Amino acid sequence: MSIRIDKDKCVSCGKCTDVCPGNLIYKDKNKKAFIKYPRDCWGCTACLKECGVGAINYYLGADIGGKGGYLYTEKDKDYLYWHIVNKDGEKRVITINKKESNKY
Ligand code: SF4
Ligand code: SF4
């Protein structure tokens, strides 16, 4: 598993850089996030959950049927939306009420 960061969507908030436990995410001169060595990512999803503007795509490994499928998140005040895109481009959305997240 690994991530890819879309600089066009990145709003330079720096949250992914702050939470990555491996310090794998850096900021370029415009404060846009980038990952230097994607292969070092072990897929903890911390950056993905913090992003919330859909700038980080998290690619699913072939061992769990990913084959090009990926996840990204968007969020607003109360909800976190997990977008799941399969290898054929079909999308599903799982909505999490952040106030009730301890139920899951
Ligand atoms: S998924 Fe985890 S290890 Fe990989 S870049 Fe994001 S925060 Fe770092
Ligand atoms: S969390 Fe998302 S928007 Fe914020 S710096 Fe990282 S990639 Fe950019």
Side-chain angles (χ1 to χ4, degrees), residues 64-76:
I64 58 168
K67 295 182 180 174
Y70 61 95
L71 314 175
Y72 64 92
T73 66
E74 292 178 326
K75 58 185 170 184
D76 58 25

Side-chain angles (χ1 to χ4, degrees), residues 5-6 9-17 25 27 31-34 47 50-56:
I5 300 175
D6 183 341
K9 290 184 178 175
C10 176
V11 296
S12 308
C13 70
K15 289 179 182 173
C16 57
T17 305
I25 304 176
K27 295 174 191 168
K31 298 189 176 174
K32 300 280 186 174
F34 70 98
C47 60
E50 284 301 322
C51 185
V53 297
I56 301 178

Side-chain angles (χ1 to χ4, degrees), residues 16-59:
C16 57
T17 305
D18 292 343
V19 299
C20 178
N23 297 320
L24 301 176
I25 304 176
Y26 300 84
K27 295 174 191 168
D28 68 14
K29 63 182 184 334
N30 297 316
K31 298 189 176 174
K32 300 280 186 174
F34 70 98
I35 181 165
K36 198 184 274 185
Y37 305 111
R39 286 188 181 180
D40 289 346
C41 168
W42 62 91
C44 73
T45 75
C47 60
L48 185 68
K49 287 184 277 191
E50 284 301 322
C51 185
V53 297
I56 301 178
N57 288 343
Y58 177 90
Y59 284 83

